[in-house]
Amino acid sequence: EVQLVQSGAEVKKPGESLKISCKGSGYSFTSYWIGWVRQMPGKGLEWMGIIYPGDSDTRYSPSFQGQVTISADKSISTAYLQWSSLKASDTAMYYCARGALYSGSYLEGGAFDIWGQGTMVTVSS
Amino acid sequence: SYELTQPPSVSVSPGQTARITCSGDALPKQYAYWYQQKPGQAPVLVIYKDSERPSGIPERFSGSSSGTTVTLTISGVQAEDEADYYCQSADSSGIWVFGGGTKLTVL
C-alpha cells in the first residue's frame, strides 16, 4: 500500500525550533516529488514547497521562502519540514503529499495524489 | 503572485448537479486538478489533468476546461459529497497554487 505517515502533533513556544517528518512507503521514494501544504485553522490549503528526493531539487512558494526549510533523506524515505524560530502564526495543520507529474516535466505542473494524515503544530506561549 | 479564484460556496439539493468554477490566467496553458476535503480529513484528489478521474473516484465527478476557467461538475449530488473543494494548478515558474476553496452544501 502506498502511504505517507507523518510525525505526531507538536506543541511549541514562540522562538523554538521544530522539524516534522513524513515517511513514504509502498513506492519508489526517489521517483516522486514530496510537497508540504499548510492549512491554518478554518482556512484553505496553501502550497508551501516541494522537493525531489532523488536529487534534492527543492522549490518554495514565495510566501514561504526563507521561513521554512524542506529537506529529505532518501536513505530512510523521509521528507522533513523545519522551522528555526516558530511564531504563533505558524499554528496550523501541515500535510505532506506525493507530487505526481502527469506531463513528465516539473514546469508543466502536477498534483498531489497521496497525502499524509497531517501534523498539527500549535505555537503558544 | 499567481492566483486561482473559486466561489466561496455552492449549494445544491440531493440529486441535482453542482458546478464549481476556478479561474486563473495560466489555466489555458497549465492543467488543473481538483481535491475534495471533508472535515477532519486530508484532501483527496478527485480530478487530474482537467478532466481525468483517478481510480476509485465515482463517475459522477467530472471536470472540464474552457479558456481561463475550469469547472468541477458533480452530477446527482449525494449527501456524502458535502465537503470543501479546491482547485490547484501551477504557474510558468513551477510554483503550484491552490484556489481559495469552495464549500459545497447539500441542502
Side-chain angles (χ1 to χ4, degrees), chain A residues 20-64:
Chain A
I20 62 175
S21 66
C22 168
K23 183 174 176 60
S25 62
Y27 73 99
S28 174
F29 189 73
T30 54
S31 299
Y32 287 84
W33 294 77
I34 291 280
W36 289 93
V37 176
R38 182 174 80 174
Q39 188 166 40
M40 299 176 76
K43 302 298 184 183
L45 306 176
E46 299 175 88
W47 190 85
M48 301 177 72
I50 199 165
I51 188 168
Y52 189 72
D55 61 7
S56 293
D57 184 4
T58 308
R59 318 291 177 99
Y60 292 93
S61 162
S63 299
F64 292 94

mmCIF file of all heavy atoms in Angstrom, chain A residues 20-64:
data_model
loop_
_atom_site.group_PDB
_atom_site.id
_atom_site.type_symbol
_atom_site.label_atom_id
_atom_site.label_comp_id
_atom_site.label_asym_id
_atom_site.label_seq_id
_atom_site.Cartn_x
_atom_site.Cartn_y
_atom_site.Cartn_z
ATOM 1 N N ILE A 20 9.406 18.478 11.503
ATOM 2 C CA ILE A 20 8.414 17.414 11.400
ATOM 3 C C ILE A 20 8.744 16.538 10.205
ATOM 4 O O ILE A 20 9.431 16.967 9.271
ATOM 5 C CB ILE A 20 6.972 17.953 11.324
ATOM 6 C CG1 ILE A 20 6.761 18.818 10.082
ATOM 7 C CG2 ILE A 20 6.636 18.739 12.585
ATOM 8 C CD1 ILE A 20 5.303 19.272 9.904
ATOM 9 N N SER A 21 8.259 15.292 10.248
ATOM 10 C CA SER A 21 8.674 14.339 9.229
ATOM 11 C C SER A 21 7.515 13.681 8.501
ATOM 12 O O SER A 21 6.361 13.721 8.953
ATOM 13 C CB SER A 21 9.554 13.265 9.870
ATOM 14 O OG SER A 21 8.792 12.490 10.776
ATOM 15 N N CYS A 22 7.866 13.057 7.392
ATOM 16 C CA CYS A 22 6.888 12.416 6.511
ATOM 17 C C CYS A 22 7.577 11.221 5.864
ATOM 18 O O CYS A 22 8.497 11.402 5.050
ATOM 19 C CB CYS A 22 6.444 13.426 5.460
ATOM 20 S SG CYS A 22 5.490 12.792 4.072
ATOM 21 N N LYS A 23 7.181 9.998 6.247
ATOM 22 C CA LYS A 23 7.849 8.802 5.747
ATOM 23 C C LYS A 23 7.009 8.125 4.689
ATOM 24 O O LYS A 23 5.837 7.808 4.908
ATOM 25 C CB LYS A 23 8.127 7.818 6.890
ATOM 26 C CG LYS A 23 8.895 6.589 6.447
ATOM 27 C CD LYS A 23 9.281 5.727 7.629
ATOM 28 C CE LYS A 23 9.984 4.434 7.171
ATOM 29 N NZ LYS A 23 11.208 4.698 6.412
ATOM 30 N N GLY A 24 7.613 7.910 3.535
ATOM 31 C CA GLY A 24 6.912 7.252 2.445
ATOM 32 C C GLY A 24 7.184 5.760 2.422
ATOM 33 O O GLY A 24 8.264 5.301 2.796
ATOM 34 N N SER A 25 6.186 5.008 1.960
ATOM 35 C CA SER A 25 6.366 3.569 1.806
ATOM 36 C C SER A 25 5.456 3.054 0.697
ATOM 37 O O SER A 25 4.475 3.705 0.327
ATOM 38 C CB SER A 25 6.069 2.832 3.118
ATOM 39 O OG SER A 25 4.727 3.035 3.503
ATOM 40 N N GLY A 26 5.816 1.898 0.152
ATOM 41 C CA GLY A 26 4.986 1.273 -0.870
ATOM 42 C C GLY A 26 5.237 1.779 -2.273
ATOM 43 O O GLY A 26 4.514 1.388 -3.203
ATOM 44 N N TYR A 27 6.231 2.629 -2.463
ATOM 45 C CA TYR A 27 6.563 3.126 -3.796
ATOM 46 C C TYR A 27 8.028 3.564 -3.799
ATOM 47 O O TYR A 27 8.672 3.628 -2.748
ATOM 48 C CB TYR A 27 5.640 4.283 -4.202
ATOM 49 C CG TYR A 27 5.903 5.597 -3.489
ATOM 50 C CD1 TYR A 27 6.641 6.600 -4.089
ATOM 51 C CD2 TYR A 27 5.410 5.833 -2.205
ATOM 52 C CE1 TYR A 27 6.894 7.807 -3.447
ATOM 53 C CE2 TYR A 27 5.644 7.024 -1.554
ATOM 54 C CZ TYR A 27 6.394 8.002 -2.167
ATOM 55 O OH TYR A 27 6.638 9.198 -1.514
ATOM 56 N N SER A 28 8.546 3.900 -4.989
ATOM 57 C CA SER A 28 9.921 4.369 -5.095
ATOM 58 C C SER A 28 10.010 5.818 -4.642
ATOM 59 O O SER A 28 9.614 6.742 -5.367
ATOM 60 C CB SER A 28 10.407 4.251 -6.547
ATOM 61 O OG SER A 28 11.683 4.830 -6.684
ATOM 62 N N PHE A 29 10.516 6.024 -3.413
ATOM 63 C CA PHE A 29 10.532 7.357 -2.794
ATOM 64 C C PHE A 29 11.305 8.363 -3.627
ATOM 65 O O PHE A 29 10.985 9.553 -3.632
ATOM 66 C CB PHE A 29 11.139 7.244 -1.395
ATOM 67 C CG PHE A 29 11.030 8.497 -0.574
ATOM 68 C CD1 PHE A 29 9.816 8.903 -0.046
ATOM 69 C CD2 PHE A 29 12.165 9.263 -0.306
ATOM 70 C CE1 PHE A 29 9.717 10.055 0.724
ATOM 71 C CE2 PHE A 29 12.076 10.418 0.466
ATOM 72 C CZ PHE A 29 10.850 10.808 0.978
ATOM 73 N N THR A 30 12.335 7.911 -4.333
ATOM 74 C CA THR A 30 13.179 8.839 -5.079
ATOM 75 C C THR A 30 12.628 9.186 -6.458
ATOM 76 O O THR A 30 13.244 9.973 -7.192
ATOM 77 C CB THR A 30 14.597 8.255 -5.246
ATOM 78 O OG1 THR A 30 14.504 6.952 -5.826
ATOM 79 C CG2 THR A 30 15.306 8.171 -3.900
ATOM 80 N N SER A 31 11.483 8.633 -6.815
ATOM 81 C CA SER A 31 10.925 8.860 -8.163
ATOM 82 C C SER A 31 9.758 9.828 -8.185
ATOM 83 O O SER A 31 9.202 10.098 -9.258
ATOM 84 C CB SER A 31 10.474 7.523 -8.770
ATOM 85 O OG SER A 31 11.570 6.645 -8.904
ATOM 86 N N TYR A 32 9.366 10.325 -7.044
ATOM 87 C CA TYR A 32 8.244 11.260 -6.951
ATOM 88 C C TYR A 32 8.645 12.468 -6.102
ATOM 89 O O TYR A 32 9.428 12.354 -5.170
ATOM 90 C CB TYR A 32 7.038 10.605 -6.276
ATOM 91 C CG TYR A 32 6.310 9.578 -7.117
ATOM 92 C CD1 TYR A 32 6.761 8.264 -7.176
ATOM 93 C CD2 TYR A 32 5.168 9.919 -7.830
ATOM 94 C CE1 TYR A 32 6.100 7.314 -7.936
ATOM 95 C CE2 TYR A 32 4.487 8.967 -8.585
ATOM 96 C CZ TYR A 32 4.967 7.675 -8.631
ATOM 97 O OH TYR A 32 4.288 6.741 -9.375
ATOM 98 N N TRP A 33 8.068 13.612 -6.417
ATOM 99 C CA TRP A 33 8.223 14.790 -5.582
ATOM 100 C C TRP A 33 7.410 14.613 -4.290
ATOM 101 O O TRP A 33 6.437 13.858 -4.245
ATOM 102 C CB TRP A 33 7.728 16.041 -6.323
ATOM 103 C CG TRP A 33 8.548 16.395 -7.527
ATOM 104 C CD1 TRP A 33 8.519 15.792 -8.747
ATOM 105 C CD2 TRP A 33 9.503 17.453 -7.633
ATOM 106 N NE1 TRP A 33 9.405 16.396 -9.605
ATOM 107 C CE2 TRP A 33 10.022 17.426 -8.943
ATOM 108 C CE3 TRP A 33 9.968 18.436 -6.746
ATOM 109 C CZ2 TRP A 33 10.988 18.327 -9.388
ATOM 110 C CZ3 TRP A 33 10.924 19.340 -7.197
ATOM 111 C CH2 TRP A 33 11.424 19.276 -8.508
ATOM 112 N N ILE A 34 7.840 15.302 -3.238
ATOM 113 C CA ILE A 34 7.076 15.364 -1.977
ATOM 114 C C ILE A 34 6.871 16.837 -1.655
ATOM 115 O O ILE A 34 7.844 17.607 -1.584
ATOM 116 C CB ILE A 34 7.828 14.694 -0.818
ATOM 117 C CG1 ILE A 34 7.893 13.192 -1.005
ATOM 118 C CG2 ILE A 34 7.133 15.041 0.509
ATOM 119 C CD1 ILE A 34 6.648 12.439 -0.606
ATOM 120 N N GLY A 35 5.619 17.226 -1.460
ATOM 121 C CA GLY A 35 5.315 18.609 -1.149
ATOM 122 C C GLY A 35 4.758 18.776 0.250
ATOM 123 O O GLY A 35 4.377 17.798 0.907
ATOM 124 N N TRP A 36 4.744 20.020 0.704
ATOM 125 C CA TRP A 36 4.170 20.359 2.003
ATOM 126 C C TRP A 36 3.076 21.411 1.809
ATOM 127 O O TRP A 36 3.241 22.356 1.031
ATOM 128 C CB TRP A 36 5.245 20.888 2.953
ATOM 129 C CG TRP A 36 6.187 19.817 3.412
ATOM 130 C CD1 TRP A 36 7.388 19.458 2.853
ATOM 131 C CD2 TRP A 36 5.990 18.943 4.532
ATOM 132 N NE1 TRP A 36 7.941 18.420 3.548
ATOM 133 C CE2 TRP A 36 7.112 18.082 4.582
ATOM 134 C CE3 TRP A 36 4.992 18.797 5.494
ATOM 135 C CZ2 TRP A 36 7.255 17.098 5.568
ATOM 136 C CZ3 TRP A 36 5.137 17.825 6.472
ATOM 137 C CH2 TRP A 36 6.256 16.999 6.505
ATOM 138 N N VAL A 37 1.993 21.233 2.541
ATOM 139 C CA VAL A 37 0.815 22.094 2.423
ATOM 140 C C VAL A 37 0.385 22.536 3.815
ATOM 141 O O VAL A 37 0.276 21.712 4.722
ATOM 142 C CB VAL A 37 -0.344 21.335 1.731
ATOM 143 C CG1 VAL A 37 -1.609 22.203 1.685
ATOM 144 C CG2 VAL A 37 0.067 20.907 0.322
ATOM 145 N N ARG A 38 0.175 23.835 3.972
ATOM 146 C CA ARG A 38 -0.296 24.360 5.259
ATOM 147 C C ARG A 38 -1.799 24.599 5.212
ATOM 148 O O ARG A 38 -2.338 25.046 4.194
ATOM 149 C CB ARG A 38 0.404 25.696 5.572
ATOM 150 C CG ARG A 38 0.014 26.286 6.928
ATOM 151 C CD ARG A 38 0.824 27.532 7.261
ATOM 152 N NE ARG A 38 0.314 28.721 6.592
ATOM 153 C CZ ARG A 38 0.780 29.944 6.818
ATOM 154 N NH1 ARG A 38 1.774 30.117 7.686
ATOM 155 N NH2 ARG A 38 0.267 30.969 6.160
ATOM 156 N N GLN A 39 -2.461 24.310 6.310
ATOM 157 C CA GLN A 39 -3.869 24.652 6.470
ATOM 158 C C GLN A 39 -4.068 25.248 7.851
ATOM 159 O O GLN A 39 -4.086 24.532 8.860
ATOM 160 C CB GLN A 39 -4.790 23.451 6.258
ATOM 161 C CG GLN A 39 -6.264 23.842 6.234
ATOM 162 C CD GLN A 39 -7.148 22.737 5.694
ATOM 163 O OE1 GLN A 39 -6.944 21.551 5.981
ATOM 164 N NE2 GLN A 39 -8.160 23.105 4.921
ATOM 165 N N MET A 40 -4.212 26.549 7.886
ATOM 166 C CA MET A 40 -4.452 27.230 9.162
ATOM 167 C C MET A 40 -5.871 26.935 9.623
ATOM 168 O O MET A 40 -6.735 26.599 8.791
ATOM 169 C CB MET A 40 -4.190 28.728 9.005
ATOM 170 C CG MET A 40 -2.744 29.027 8.596
ATOM 171 S SD MET A 40 -2.398 30.750 8.279
ATOM 172 C CE MET A 40 -2.311 31.368 9.948
ATOM 173 N N PRO A 41 -6.144 27.040 10.908
ATOM 174 C CA PRO A 41 -7.467 26.673 11.434
ATOM 175 C C PRO A 41 -8.611 27.365 10.705
ATOM 176 O O PRO A 41 -8.646 28.592 10.610
ATOM 177 C CB PRO A 41 -7.386 27.109 12.896
ATOM 178 C CG PRO A 41 -5.939 27.023 13.237
ATOM 179 C CD PRO A 41 -5.213 27.440 11.988
ATOM 180 N N GLY A 42 -9.510 26.594 10.145
ATOM 181 C CA GLY A 42 -10.678 27.118 9.456
ATOM 182 C C GLY A 42 -10.401 27.745 8.101
ATOM 183 O O GLY A 42 -11.294 28.381 7.528
ATOM 184 N N LYS A 43 -9.192 27.562 7.596
ATOM 185 C CA LYS A 43 -8.799 28.212 6.334
ATOM 186 C C LYS A 43 -8.505 27.192 5.245
ATOM 187 O O LYS A 43 -8.618 25.976 5.436
ATOM 188 C CB LYS A 43 -7.562 29.089 6.563
ATOM 189 C CG LYS A 43 -7.761 30.167 7.618
ATOM 190 C CD LYS A 43 -8.851 31.148 7.239
ATOM 191 C CE LYS A 43 -8.974 32.264 8.256
ATOM 192 N NZ LYS A 43 -10.105 33.182 7.913
ATOM 193 N N GLY A 44 -8.095 27.708 4.072
ATOM 194 C CA GLY A 44 -7.850 26.855 2.925
ATOM 195 C C GLY A 44 -6.443 26.281 2.878
ATOM 196 O O GLY A 44 -5.634 26.463 3.792
ATOM 197 N N LEU A 45 -6.181 25.567 1.789
ATOM 198 C CA LEU A 45 -4.884 24.923 1.583
ATOM 199 C C LEU A 45 -3.891 25.917 0.975
ATOM 200 O O LEU A 45 -4.242 26.687 0.083
ATOM 201 C CB LEU A 45 -5.047 23.731 0.635
ATOM 202 C CG LEU A 45 -6.082 22.690 1.009
ATOM 203 C CD1 LEU A 45 -6.189 21.632 -0.084
ATOM 204 C CD2 LEU A 45 -5.737 22.029 2.333
ATOM 205 N N GLU A 46 -2.650 25.859 1.473
ATOM 206 C CA GLU A 46 -1.587 26.722 0.950
ATOM 207 C C GLU A 46 -0.387 25.866 0.561
ATOM 208 O O GLU A 46 0.125 25.113 1.398
ATOM 209 C CB GLU A 46 -1.146 27.740 2.000
ATOM 210 C CG GLU A 46 -2.236 28.692 2.451
ATOM 211 C CD GLU A 46 -1.737 29.580 3.575
ATOM 212 O OE1 GLU A 46 -1.172 30.651 3.277
ATOM 213 O OE2 GLU A 46 -1.898 29.183 4.744
ATOM 214 N N TRP A 47 0.072 25.979 -0.671
ATOM 215 C CA TRP A 47 1.236 25.239 -1.153
ATOM 216 C C TRP A 47 2.499 25.902 -0.632
ATOM 217 O O TRP A 47 2.763 27.074 -0.921
ATOM 218 C CB TRP A 47 1.222 25.233 -2.674
ATOM 219 C CG TRP A 47 2.208 24.334 -3.332
ATOM 220 C CD1 TRP A 47 2.047 23.011 -3.588
ATOM 221 C CD2 TRP A 47 3.488 24.687 -3.847
ATOM 222 N NE1 TRP A 47 3.166 22.526 -4.236
ATOM 223 C CE2 TRP A 47 4.058 23.532 -4.405
ATOM 224 C CE3 TRP A 47 4.219 25.881 -3.888
ATOM 225 C CZ2 TRP A 47 5.314 23.520 -4.994
ATOM 226 C CZ3 TRP A 47 5.472 25.876 -4.484
ATOM 227 C CH2 TRP A 47 6.016 24.703 -5.023
ATOM 228 N N MET A 48 3.301 25.152 0.138
ATOM 229 C CA MET A 48 4.495 25.728 0.761
ATOM 230 C C MET A 48 5.738 25.498 -0.089
ATOM 231 O O MET A 48 6.590 26.381 -0.239
ATOM 232 C CB MET A 48 4.718 25.101 2.131
ATOM 233 C CG MET A 48 3.574 25.293 3.100
ATOM 234 S SD MET A 48 3.869 24.462 4.651
ATOM 235 C CE MET A 48 5.153 25.495 5.368
ATOM 236 N N GLY A 49 5.881 24.307 -0.615
ATOM 237 C CA GLY A 49 7.071 23.977 -1.355
ATOM 238 C C GLY A 49 7.109 22.488 -1.640
ATOM 239 O O GLY A 49 6.221 21.734 -1.223
ATOM 240 N N ILE A 50 8.173 22.078 -2.342
ATOM 241 C CA ILE A 50 8.234 20.702 -2.821
ATOM 242 C C ILE A 50 9.679 20.294 -3.024
ATOM 243 O O ILE A 50 10.537 21.141 -3.318
ATOM 244 C CB ILE A 50 7.409 20.599 -4.136
ATOM 245 C CG1 ILE A 50 7.016 19.171 -4.459
ATOM 246 C CG2 ILE A 50 8.132 21.260 -5.304
ATOM 247 C CD1 ILE A 50 5.924 19.078 -5.515
ATOM 248 N N ILE A 51 9.970 19.015 -2.845
ATOM 249 C CA ILE A 51 11.326 18.510 -3.003
ATOM 250 C C ILE A 51 11.298 17.228 -3.807
ATOM 251 O O ILE A 51 10.341 16.440 -3.716
ATOM 252 C CB ILE A 51 12.007 18.291 -1.633
ATOM 253 C CG1 ILE A 51 13.486 17.940 -1.790
ATOM 254 C CG2 ILE A 51 11.273 17.231 -0.806
ATOM 255 C CD1 ILE A 51 14.272 18.006 -0.491
ATOM 256 N N TYR A 52 12.342 17.009 -4.614
ATOM 257 C CA TYR A 52 12.507 15.759 -5.334
ATOM 258 C C TYR A 52 13.596 14.980 -4.622
ATOM 259 O O TYR A 52 14.780 15.319 -4.732
ATOM 260 C CB TYR A 52 12.887 16.012 -6.789
ATOM 261 C CG TYR A 52 12.863 14.777 -7.652
ATOM 262 C CD1 TYR A 52 11.657 14.202 -8.003
ATOM 263 C CD2 TYR A 52 14.035 14.191 -8.092
ATOM 264 C CE1 TYR A 52 11.624 13.058 -8.783
ATOM 265 C CE2 TYR A 52 14.014 13.051 -8.875
ATOM 266 C CZ TYR A 52 12.811 12.481 -9.219
ATOM 267 O OH TYR A 52 12.772 11.355 -9.988
ATOM 268 N N PRO A 53 13.234 13.959 -3.849
ATOM 269 C CA PRO A 53 14.239 13.249 -3.049
ATOM 270 C C PRO A 53 15.366 12.629 -3.864
ATOM 271 O O PRO A 53 16.456 12.399 -3.350
ATOM 272 C CB PRO A 53 13.414 12.169 -2.334
ATOM 273 C CG PRO A 53 12.036 12.720 -2.288
ATOM 274 C CD PRO A 53 11.877 13.465 -3.573
ATOM 275 N N GLY A 54 15.133 12.380 -5.139
ATOM 276 C CA GLY A 54 16.159 11.762 -5.969
ATOM 277 C C GLY A 54 17.421 12.596 -6.080
ATOM 278 O O GLY A 54 18.535 12.057 -6.083
ATOM 279 N N ASP A 55 17.237 13.951 -6.175
ATOM 280 C CA ASP A 55 18.409 14.819 -6.286
ATOM 281 C C ASP A 55 18.324 16.040 -5.371
ATOM 282 O O ASP A 55 19.146 16.950 -5.472
ATOM 283 C CB ASP A 55 18.597 15.282 -7.742
ATOM 284 C CG ASP A 55 17.414 16.079 -8.258
ATOM 285 O OD1 ASP A 55 16.492 16.400 -7.465
ATOM 286 O OD2 ASP A 55 17.382 16.384 -9.465
ATOM 287 N N SER A 56 17.328 16.070 -4.487
ATOM 288 C CA SER A 56 17.097 17.152 -3.520
ATOM 289 C C SER A 56 16.761 18.488 -4.167
ATOM 290 O O SER A 56 16.862 19.530 -3.515
ATOM 291 C CB SER A 56 18.305 17.320 -2.588
ATOM 292 O OG SER A 56 18.447 16.193 -1.762
ATOM 293 N N ASP A 57 16.365 18.505 -5.439
ATOM 294 C CA ASP A 57 15.864 19.730 -6.067
ATOM 295 C C ASP A 57 14.661 20.210 -5.256
ATOM 296 O O ASP A 57 13.726 19.449 -5.015
ATOM 297 C CB ASP A 57 15.448 19.436 -7.501
ATOM 298 C CG ASP A 57 15.001 20.669 -8.262
ATOM 299 O OD1 ASP A 57 15.082 21.794 -7.720
ATOM 300 O OD2 ASP A 57 14.554 20.518 -9.413
ATOM 301 N N THR A 58 14.705 21.476 -4.808
ATOM 302 C CA THR A 58 13.671 21.999 -3.909
ATOM 303 C C THR A 58 13.150 23.331 -4.455
ATOM 304 O O THR A 58 13.927 24.172 -4.895
ATOM 305 C CB THR A 58 14.235 22.204 -2.494
ATOM 306 O OG1 THR A 58 14.871 20.995 -2.057
ATOM 307 C CG2 THR A 58 13.121 22.554 -1.506
ATOM 308 N N ARG A 59 11.848 23.480 -4.431
ATOM 309 C CA ARG A 59 11.215 24.739 -4.837
ATOM 310 C C ARG A 59 10.331 25.229 -3.687
ATOM 311 O O ARG A 59 9.707 24.421 -3.010
ATOM 312 C CB ARG A 59 10.331 24.531 -6.087
ATOM 313 C CG ARG A 59 10.942 23.647 -7.148
ATOM 314 C CD ARG A 59 12.131 24.267 -7.857
ATOM 315 N NE ARG A 59 12.727 23.354 -8.818
ATOM 316 C CZ ARG A 59 12.475 23.397 -10.128
ATOM 317 N NH1 ARG A 59 11.616 24.299 -10.614
ATOM 318 N NH2 ARG A 59 13.072 22.547 -10.948
ATOM 319 N N TYR A 60 10.268 26.539 -3.509
ATOM 320 C CA TYR A 60 9.459 27.124 -2.446
ATOM 321 C C TYR A 60 8.452 28.109 -3.017
ATOM 322 O O TYR A 60 8.741 28.836 -3.987
ATOM 323 C CB TYR A 60 10.338 27.872 -1.442
ATOM 324 C CG TYR A 60 11.246 27.004 -0.602
ATOM 325 C CD1 TYR A 60 12.553 26.743 -0.993
ATOM 326 C CD2 TYR A 60 10.784 26.443 0.597
ATOM 327 C CE1 TYR A 60 13.384 25.952 -0.216
ATOM 328 C CE2 TYR A 60 11.614 25.660 1.382
ATOM 329 C CZ TYR A 60 12.912 25.416 0.970
ATOM 330 O OH TYR A 60 13.748 24.635 1.743
ATOM 331 N N SER A 61 7.295 28.181 -2.379
ATOM 332 C CA SER A 61 6.382 29.277 -2.650
ATOM 333 C C SER A 61 7.039 30.567 -2.169
ATOM 334 O O SER A 61 7.674 30.585 -1.104
ATOM 335 C CB SER A 61 5.070 29.069 -1.896
ATOM 336 O OG SER A 61 4.344 30.265 -1.813
ATOM 337 N N PRO A 62 6.894 31.669 -2.906
ATOM 338 C CA PRO A 62 7.457 32.942 -2.421
ATOM 339 C C PRO A 62 6.967 33.298 -1.020
ATOM 340 O O PRO A 62 7.700 33.938 -0.257
ATOM 341 C CB PRO A 62 6.944 33.957 -3.455
ATOM 342 C CG PRO A 62 6.744 33.164 -4.696
ATOM 343 C CD PRO A 62 6.280 31.810 -4.234
ATOM 344 N N SER A 63 5.772 32.860 -0.673
ATOM 345 C CA SER A 63 5.205 33.179 0.646
ATOM 346 C C SER A 63 5.941 32.470 1.779
ATOM 347 O O SER A 63 5.867 32.906 2.928
ATOM 348 C CB SER A 63 3.728 32.796 0.688
ATOM 349 O OG SER A 63 2.986 33.511 -0.272
ATOM 350 N N PHE A 64 6.618 31.374 1.454
ATOM 351 C CA PHE A 64 7.276 30.577 2.497
ATOM 352 C C PHE A 64 8.797 30.544 2.355
ATOM 353 O O PHE A 64 9.480 30.050 3.259
ATOM 354 C CB PHE A 64 6.724 29.150 2.480
ATOM 355 C CG PHE A 64 5.288 29.073 2.923
ATOM 356 C CD1 PHE A 64 4.259 29.105 2.005
ATOM 357 C CD2 PHE A 64 4.968 28.989 4.272
ATOM 358 C CE1 PHE A 64 2.930 29.064 2.392
ATOM 359 C CE2 PHE A 64 3.645 28.950 4.682
ATOM 360 C CZ PHE A 64 2.622 28.988 3.744
#
